[in-house]
Amino acid sequence: MASLVQHLLARANRAHSVRSYNALVARFRRQYRGDYDMAMIASIGALSPIEFAQQGDGHVAVLRHHGLQDGMSVYDLGCGSGRTAMALQRSGWQGHYKGADIVKPLVNYLKSKCPGYDAVVHRKLTIAAPDESLDMVFHWSVFTHLYPEECFLYMEDTFRALKPGGRLVFSFLELEDAKHHGVFDSRIGRFRKHGWSDTLDVFLHRDWIAYWGQRIGFEDISFTDGTDGTHHPEFWQALAAMTKPGSS
Ligand SMILES: C[S@@+](CC[C@H](N)C(=O)[O-])C[C@H]1O[C@@H](n2cnc3c(N)ncnc32)[C@H](O)[C@@H]1O
């Protein structure tokens, strides 16, 4: 009996982001009943269709800065409702796109807007791609909702799936940036009032990310402040980038 309870607790915990994100998307679908586009836009944190498109264009500018070229195979972890996919499509980029997310309605929405793009529901902490098959793996505001250990496992499997010379680029929250304090403050408010929060918002440290990256085998690990608009529009979240050694 004890081991069954332990097993069920472990399963429930393992699925924390699946439960919380499915509940969040269901809430927005109720809130925007009759406006499915807005439900899908709000589900990934954008406030309007214009913001959704502008942010997507910013994502593409970040990818271009980090080496995105036509003909590449890219993987969008936690692709949501297709903010980046639609922007890639708008930009005229030609290549192989694969998105993965844990929420089926988000994946279906992306596929309806980007018919030539591949997207799957994938709920393991792995990259749904063969060894050394990807030129770039990217994710925006995904590690913000995962435990550090889950982030590490995703990074480890990203290394496996990247081609030699392939790049990993992702965004994260850090308390060193005063602009991220509002997220923490609202969590404190929720914990003070209710004793818990229905979603996880995680703040990472650059030295943890660098340590994980080095331990896994990545090189050329770099960071960009969320307020840095030198090479692309300011991202708001901080960015990490790293390379799998070798050349493709
Ligand atoms: C803030 S949204 C960002 C969506 C998308 N990356 C974008 O920028 O438009 C976070 C996304 O991460 C997904 N997600 C949450 N937990 C995840 C997990 N364990 N594995 C993969 N994706 C996850 C959510 O379903 C959601 O689509």
Side-chain angles (χ1 to χ4, degrees):
M1 184 64 178
S3 70
L4 176 65
V5 170
Q6 264 177 357
H7 171 74
L8 291 175
L9 280 173
R11 249 186 79 169
N13 191 41
R14 195 161 54 229
H16 72 96
S17 58
V18 176
R19 276 183 291 113
S20 65
Y21 248 93
N22 273 285
L24 182 142
V25 173
R27 261 200 318 277
F28 279 115
R29 288 175 74 180
R30 281 196 299 277
Q31 185 178 330
Y32 289 103
R33 204 185 297 275
D35 187 350
Y36 199 68
D37 287 326
M38 196 53 221
M40 293 296 103
I41 285 167
S43 289
I44 55 80
L47 298 175
S48 69
I50 291 176
E51 189 183 79
F52 183 84
Q54 281 172 346
Q55 290 168 339
D57 292 342
H59 299 171
V60 173
V62 170
L63 293 174
R64 291 265 184 225
H65 173 62
H66 285 283
L68 178 72
Q69 290 171 12
D70 283 352
M72 283 186 163
S73 285
V74 305
Y75 188 95
D76 184 358
L77 172 65
C79 58
S81 50
R83 182 162 46 176
T84 316
M86 284 182 230
L88 279 169
Q89 188 176 247
R90 262 197 315 276
S91 76
W93 172 74
Q94 298 287 322
H96 182 263
Y97 169 97
K98 181 164 186 172
D101 204 282
I102 54 173
V103 181
K104 195 168 179 189
L106 297 180
V107 169
N108 286 346
Y109 186 76
L110 185 161
K111 290 207 284 194
S112 74
K113 296 288 177 183
C114 303
Y117 284 11
D118 186 12
V120 292
V121 176
H122 184 73
R123 293 180 174 144
K124 293 186 182 144
L125 297 170
T126 57
I127 302 298
D131 294 358
E132 305 204 338
S133 61
L134 300 168
D135 295 289
M136 280 188 115
V137 174
F138 59 86
H139 45 91
W140 321 127
S141 197
V142 177
F143 280 8
T144 47
H145 304 297
L146 301 181
Y147 294 121
E149 296 82 355
E150 295 174 305
C151 299
F152 177 84
L153 291 177
Y154 263 140
M155 280 176 65
E156 199 176 52
D157 205 50
T158 294
F159 190 88
R160 172 196 63 75
L162 279 173
K163 295 176 186 173
R167 297 272 281 161
L168 165 63
V169 187
F170 66 88
S171 74
F172 63 101
L173 288 167
E174 55 182 356
L175 279 174
E176 287 76 5
D177 184 337
K179 287 197 170 170
H180 299 174
H181 289 181
V183 180
F184 188 68
D185 292 344
S186 74
R187 289 188 66 74
I188 293 295
R190 272 177 269 158
F191 272 83
R192 207 189 299 283
K193 195 166 172 197
H194 309 295
W196 75 297
S197 173
D198 51 0
T199 51
L200 190 63
D201 299 292
V202 170
F203 296 80
L204 294 178
H205 295 282
R206 293 180 186 206
D207 51 357
W208 296 0
I209 294 169
Y211 164 64
W212 298 338
Q214 281 156 11
R215 178 168 157 174
I216 291 165
F218 283 105
E219 60 183 22
D220 190 19
I221 301 171
S222 65
F223 297 94
T224 308
D225 291 347
T227 51
D228 187 341
T230 317
H231 299 291
H232 45 70
E234 290 181 18
F235 200 92
W236 190 72
Q237 289 190 10
L239 294 166
M242 54 195 79
T243 307
K244 178 168 174 170
S247 56
S248 43

